[in-house]
Amino acid sequence: PPAGRFIQVVTGGESRRSCGLTEAGRITCWGIDAEAVYAAEDPEYAEYLLGSGPPKGRFTAMSFDGYAGCGVRTDGRILCWGEGSPRAPKGTYTDVTMFVDDSVVCGLCTDGRIVCAEGDEEDGTSPPKGTFAKLAGRCGITIEGEVRCPDGQTFGTAGERFSDVSGRCGLQ
């Protein structure tokens, strides 16, 4: 990773790329994979795959999967970049998440609701119901620390409080 202090780092899995949100609110990405090497030989494919890289400006939160990412600007709007340029929900938000091959981008509203740009209940991509303090993949973490997902699953029992979730693990 580049020098500096980060408040959030997201790894991109198979792509071997990562992005981080610096203390200054800038998004920076690093790493490379075989597709990126191929893209370097084909500028048109590179533009599709990587776009122009992470956007300039200041951000308060971000989400990244290795090929595409989204960030919450300081004014609350979500801006996305990269492969397929995912569509962000309209409005102002405090957090952002991407899932289902980045076809669904969701934001956390200031009132705790989760709003997604696309998705529906039939395929499990609609947002979970309730009021949330944080996004966790396709799930939300309530103010009480319970993890709720769109399929109705909840995680956490009396006395368990989660502050973050990554993959199938929770941080208590």
Side-chain angles (χ1 to χ4, degrees):
R5 296 178 60 110
F6 294 87
I7 58 172
Q8 184 181 4
V9 173
V10 183
T11 59
E14 293 176 7
S15 77
R16 294 193 213 159
R17 283 192 292 246
S18 299
C19 286
L21 179 63
T22 68
E23 286 181 324
R26 309 276 186 232
I27 296 174
T28 183
C29 299
W30 61 91
I32 195 159
D33 69 346
E35 261 196 287
V37 171
Y38 173 74
E41 299 169 6
D42 182 349
E44 199 170 289
Y45 181 66
E47 178 64 26
Y48 168 77
L49 182 65
L50 305 171
S52 57
K56 305 269 187 263
R58 294 176 53 107
F59 296 83
T60 58
M62 59 159 286
S63 184
F64 179 70
D65 85 330
Y67 298 101
C70 295
V72 179
R73 289 188 173 277
T74 54
D75 66 2
R77 291 179 299 131
I78 295 174
L79 180 63
C80 298
W81 76 93
E83 182 176 12
S85 293
R87 190 168 69 92
K90 303 260 188 264
T92 57
Y93 302 92
T94 61
D95 201 1
V96 62
T97 191
M98 303 163 42
F99 61 93
V100 188
D101 298 327
D102 307 320
S103 62
V104 179
V105 176
C106 300
L108 180 65
C109 301
T110 55
D111 66 3
R113 289 177 304 115
I114 297 174
V115 174
C116 300
E118 297 182 15
D120 59 52
E121 288 188 32
E122 284 183 26
D123 64 8
T125 58
S126 63
K129 307 280 187 255
T131 303
F132 300 91
K134 184 169 177 59
L135 293 173
R138 60 187 207 89
C139 304
I141 301 176
T142 67
I143 294 167
E144 296 79 26
E146 179 183 66
V147 178
R148 289 191 197 156
C149 300
D151 54 11
Q153 283 188 304
T154 60
F155 301 93
T157 58
E160 286 186 314
R161 290 180 52 91
F162 293 95
S163 60
D164 204 354
V165 174
S166 179
R168 296 196 175 272
C169 301
L171 178 63
Q172 291 184 308

